[in-house]
Amino acid sequence: MFTYQHPHPAVASDIVVLGISEEKLKVLLIRRGLEPFAGKWALPGGFLRPDETVEECARRELFEETGVRDVLAIIQVGIFSRPDRDPRERVISVPYVACIELDSAKLSAGTDAAEAAWFDAKDPPPLAFDHAEILKASLKAAKNAAPHHPLVPRMLKSPFSLTQLQSATELVMGKSLDKRNFRRQVLEADWLKETGAQIRGTHRPAQLYELKTHHRDDDAKTP
Amino acid sequence: MFTYQHPHPAVASDIVVLGISEEKLKVLLIRRGLEPFAGKWALPGGFLRPDETVEECARRELFEETGVRDVLAIIQVGIFSRPDRDPRERVISVPYVACIELDSAKLSAGTDAAEAAWFDAKDPPPLAFDHAEILKASLKAAKNAAPHHPLVPRMLKSPFSLTQLQSATELVMGKSLDKRNFRRQVLEADWLKETGAQIRGTHRPAQLYELKTHHRDDDAKTP
DNA sequence: CCAATAGTGTCTCTAAGACAGTATGTT
DNA sequence: AACATACTGTCTTAGAGACACTATTGG
């Protein structure tokens, strides 16, 4: 038992794990095993531990849910602190967005998550708590960040073709992009290196790229 | 007394109140009356109450410290959650930046603040806790936001001349700006309206402007 | 008339967007 | 040969930045 002189909220981090599959932007959801909202889908997340920062909490949750470590770019998306957002007790959520390669995730329906699955991020099932709002804000944040940070390349299996990267970026941006402009911009951004390998599919082979190692995500401006 | 099954951090909001005076960018600091760091300068702030969101907490603190209400633009600047950042107990801080007209602030050295005063924001005294780091991040956030949101006009006594606005903006941006480009941009941004009044100083009078009422701060992009 | 500040317009350069055809593989 | 996909370059446009002179007042 932990006792305080003043009321303290619980602090949690929810994590919006985005990936791409079947030509759709997907979000990882868990089915809640416990009340409240038992049986409903929700964002994975968990309570802050005494020895970690909020960001570390988000990374730990990400690892526990997906087995994915060392995601460079995770983006904090506001703070959700409406007093009544959790019916049990007051819980403040600090959500983070993480973009990962979906097939590399080993979903663990362990602890309090009865089940974990990927859903169309733009057409999710009804969500517990205020998670629909969190998801919406997160998709917007990803959209804003995508032109400036290499989020989308992290959602693809490496190596990938520029066409694959463009399709994925179009999903995140929610609009179609011009092929020549896209290639110019992504190459000028200097995120990628050619691997030399080619994909030999049904037609002309495409050059394959991967993210440069140790690419520095530089400071985000906030216009 | 409040008891919980798991440890809960305290949650507070610190507020970085910026204003302009004597050709300098100033930040409001309070001298701490209580341990820890008694006698040291610190950012104003306070603990989250059970019935308010974190942003409402920041606005309340702002009002309590300065008497200023209804600041439209307050900017959240990350989350400071190092477990040991407060020696008493674990406290997570969600800082906000507020830009106000300094002379309109009625400083109240009330509650736990023994004294309140304005300091050069870029050369502050040694600060309690991790407040130096928070201040630094906040100045950077203000710099990033200034070209896109009318923060700086809110630091001036209305009405003001474009030259005054430019000088203030230069302080926030930390660099000198071209007069013609600045005027073009600020007028195209459509934040201001001419009042018709002029300042009749020692030389050619300047047109005076004020912020348009109900100016909508539109969505922040995050390049 | 001089000093001091307010105010104004154009060129350049860079980045984004629109746009269509050639190259290389598979079947 | 037909087809499907990979790949490429130029023009236009908008916004940012560099740049210097005229206008109006007070003294």
Side-chain angles (χ1 to χ4, degrees):
Chain A
M1 298 289 269
F2 298 85
T3 307
Y4 306 94
Q5 301 245 340
H6 300 286
H8 285 36
V11 174
S13 185
D14 291 310
I15 180 146
V16 178
V17 188
L18 300 178
I20 286 176
S21 168
E22 297 163 358
E23 323 266 291
K24 295 274 190 186
L25 185 61
K26 301 282 186 173
V27 61
L28 180 63
L29 298 176
I30 58 157
R31 192 193 288 276
R32 290 183 57 78
L34 304 173
E35 287 297 340
F37 298 102
K40 271 226 173 184
W41 294 96
L43 295 169
F47 291 102
L48 180 66
R49 293 186 180 168
D51 59 343
E52 66 189 3
T53 65
V54 178
E55 179 174 329
E56 285 162 359
C57 173
R59 290 182 187 279
R60 176 176 55 75
E61 295 293 335
L62 175 63
F63 175 68
E64 289 175 7
E65 304 286 348
T66 66
V68 174
R69 272 191 206 278
D70 300 326
V71 174
L72 283 187
I74 72 175
I75 305 175
Q76 186 229 313
V77 182
I79 296 184
F80 292 74
S81 60
R82 277 212 339 269
D84 60 351
R85 58 181 292 283
D86 190 314
R88 291 167 295 184
E89 65 167 331
R90 185 163 194 193
V91 180
I92 291 177
S93 173
V94 183
Y96 284 82
V97 180
C99 295
I100 70 165
E101 194 243 305
L102 187 148
D103 294 319
S104 73
K106 291 290 159 234
L107 303 187
S108 61
T111 56
D112 36 38
E115 193 181 344
W118 295 96
F119 289 84
D120 184 338
K122 290 173 182 169
D123 186 23
L127 297 181
F129 306 105
D130 53 1
H131 287 188
E133 194 185 341
I134 293 178
L135 174 57
K136 200 173 156 195
S138 298
L139 292 177
K140 193 169 165 183
K143 194 166 146 180
N144 286 336
H148 306 279
H149 297 282
L151 300 185
V152 183
R154 297 203 173 93
M155 295 200 273
L156 300 176
K157 197 175 314 195
S158 242
F160 46 82
S161 70
L162 292 184
T163 301
Q164 289 172 322
L165 182 58
Q166 178 174 350
S167 304
T169 305
E170 287 173 341
L171 290 179
V172 173
M173 298 303 290
K175 64 178 181 190
S176 60
L177 304 170
D178 178 85
K179 184 193 281 201
R180 285 163 293 185
N181 294 340
F182 176 80
R183 283 163 185 250
R184 187 209 319 147
Q185 285 162 20
V186 76
L187 292 176
E188 281 174 0
D190 203 33
W191 297 338
L192 308 181
K193 62 170 182 241
E194 270 194 70
T195 60
Q198 294 183 333
I199 187 173
R200 305 190 61 84
T202 61
H203 296 289
R204 176 174 173 178
Q207 292 300 319
L208 295 179
Y209 293 80
E210 60 189 15
L211 263 181
K212 283 191 177 176
T213 51
H214 301 134
H215 171 77
R216 284 200 46 73
D217 284 7
D218 29 29
D219 302 349
K221 288 166 278 179
T222 309
Chain B
M1 299 290 267
F2 299 86
T3 52
Y4 306 94
Q5 302 246 338
H6 301 285
H8 285 36
V11 174
S13 185
D14 292 311
I15 179 145
V16 179
V17 188
L18 300 179
I20 286 176
S21 166
E22 298 163 356
E23 322 268 291
K24 294 274 190 184
L25 185 61
K26 302 282 186 175
V27 61
L28 180 63
L29 299 177
I30 59 157
R31 193 195 287 277
R32 290 183 56 80
L34 304 173
E35 289 296 341
F37 298 103
K40 271 228 174 184
W41 293 97
L43 295 169
F47 291 102
L48 180 67
R49 292 187 181 166
D51 59 343
E52 66 189 3
T53 65
V54 178
E55 179 174 329
E56 285 162 0
C57 174
R59 290 182 186 279
R60 177 176 55 74
E61 295 294 334
L62 175 64
F63 175 68
E64 289 175 6
E65 304 286 347
T66 66
V68 175
R69 273 192 206 278
D70 300 327
V71 174
L72 283 187
I74 72 174
I75 306 174
Q76 185 227 316
V77 183
I79 296 183
F80 292 75
S81 60
R82 277 211 340 267
D84 59 352
R85 59 180 292 283
D86 190 314
R88 291 167 295 184
E89 64 166 333
R90 185 163 194 193
V91 180
I92 290 176
S93 173
V94 184
Y96 284 82
V97 180
C99 295
I100 70 165
E101 193 242 308
L102 185 148
D103 294 318
S104 73
K106 293 290 158 231
L107 303 187
S108 60
T111 55
D112 37 38
E115 193 181 344
W118 295 97
F119 289 84
D120 184 340
K122 289 174 182 168
D123 186 24
L127 296 180
F129 306 106
D130 53 1
H131 287 187
E133 194 185 340
I134 293 177
L135 175 56
K136 199 173 156 194
S138 299
L139 293 177
K140 193 169 167 184
K143 193 166 147 182
N144 285 337
H148 307 279
H149 296 283
L151 300 185
V152 183
R154 297 204 171 93
M155 295 201 274
L156 299 175
K157 197 175 313 192
S158 241
F160 47 81
S161 70
L162 292 184
T163 301
Q164 290 172 323
L165 182 59
Q166 180 175 348
S167 304
T169 305
E170 286 173 341
L171 290 177
V172 172
M173 298 302 291
K175 64 178 181 191
S176 59
L177 303 169
D178 179 84
K179 185 196 282 202
R180 285 165 292 187
N181 294 340
F182 177 79
R183 283 165 184 249
R184 187 209 319 147
Q185 286 162 20
V186 77
L187 292 176
E188 281 175 358
D190 203 33
W191 297 339
L192 307 181
K193 62 168 182 245
E194 269 194 70
T195 60
Q198 293 183 333
I199 187 172
R200 305 188 62 84
T202 62
H203 297 289
R204 174 172 176 180
Q207 293 300 320
L208 295 179
Y209 294 80
E210 61 187 15
L211 262 181
K212 284 192 176 175
T213 52
H214 301 135
H215 171 79
R216 284 199 46 74
D217 285 9
D218 29 28
D219 302 348
K221 289 165 279 176
T222 309

